[in-house]
Amino acid sequence: MNDSLKQLKRQHIDNYKNAIIDIITNNTNVLVDEDIMSLLRKPPLDSMDLIKSKFLDLAKKNSTILNTEELSNLLDNYRDKLMKEMASIKAIRIKELTKSIDSIKYEDNEVFKLNKKDFVKVDKDIKKILKDQLNDSFDKYILKNINKVFSNDIDSTVKSNIVSNMTKYVNGTYQRQLLENFDIKVLVKDTTLINNIKEHNERYLFTINNSRIFNDLDNSLEN
C-alpha cells in the first residue's frame, strides 16, 4: 500500500513540475508572440510606421522622391526576417527559467520559486539578442538594398545624407524607444510569471497538506 501511495505522491509532484514548465512556456510564448512581435510588426497605418515616415521626411527635406513601393518591400522584408530571429528568445528564456526545477527535492513543502533576481541574466540576454538583430537586420535587409528606393540620377551627396541620417535615427532614437517598450513588456511578463507560479504553489501545497491520501502516507511513514 505504501508503494502505491508513494507512487501517487510522486505522480502528483511530477504533474506539479510539468505544470510549472507549462506556466513558464505559456508566459514566454505570449511575451514573444504577442508583446515583442507587436513592437516589430508592420503598423496598421502608414502614418504609424516610424521608419517609413522618417525616410519620407528626409527625402522631402532633400527635395527627393523615393520609390515608396520598393521602400515598403524593404521594410516588409526587414520586419519579417527580424521577427523570425525572435524564436531563439523563447528557447533561451524557457531554458534559463526552468533549469533549477529538477534540482529541488520537493520535500517538506518545498516548491519551485522565481524571484526578480532570477530574471536579471535572461532579460539581459534576450534584450541583447533583440538589439543585435535590430542592427544586423537593418544593415542586411535595408542598407544593402537601399539603392532600390532612389532614382538612378540622384545626387550621391543627397543620397549619402539621407542614408546617414536614416541610420542614425534607426540605431538611435528608434531603437532606444523600441528597447524601452521591450523592457516594459518584459517586466510585466516577469511579474505576471512570478505571481502565477505563487498561485500554483498555493494550490499544490493545499492539496499536499489537506489530502487524506497524502496524510495517510505521511502517517504510515512515521509509524
Side-chain angles (χ1 to χ4, degrees), residues 15-51:
N15 289 341
Y16 164 77
K17 291 163 62 176
N18 289 332
I20 292 296
I21 293 173
D22 286 342
I23 291 171
I24 294 173
T25 300
N26 292 336
N27 177 276
T28 301
N29 287 340
V30 173
L31 171 63
V32 176
D33 295 340
E34 298 182 17
D35 296 341
I36 295 177
M37 291 303 186
S38 71
L39 301 174
L40 306 178
R41 289 191 186 97
K42 179 179 179 179
L45 300 174
D46 269 357
S47 60
M48 299 170 63
D49 191 332
L50 299 179
I51 299 179

Side-chain angles (χ1 to χ4, degrees), residues 54-55 58 62 138 157-172:
K54 186 65 175 181
F55 258 120
L58 288 171
N62 286 272
F138 182 74
T157 302
V158 172
K159 182 173 71 172
S160 177
N161 182 57
I162 293 174
V163 173
S164 176
N165 281 285
M166 193 64 227
T167 302
K168 288 180 182 177
Y169 169 74
V170 170
N171 292 336

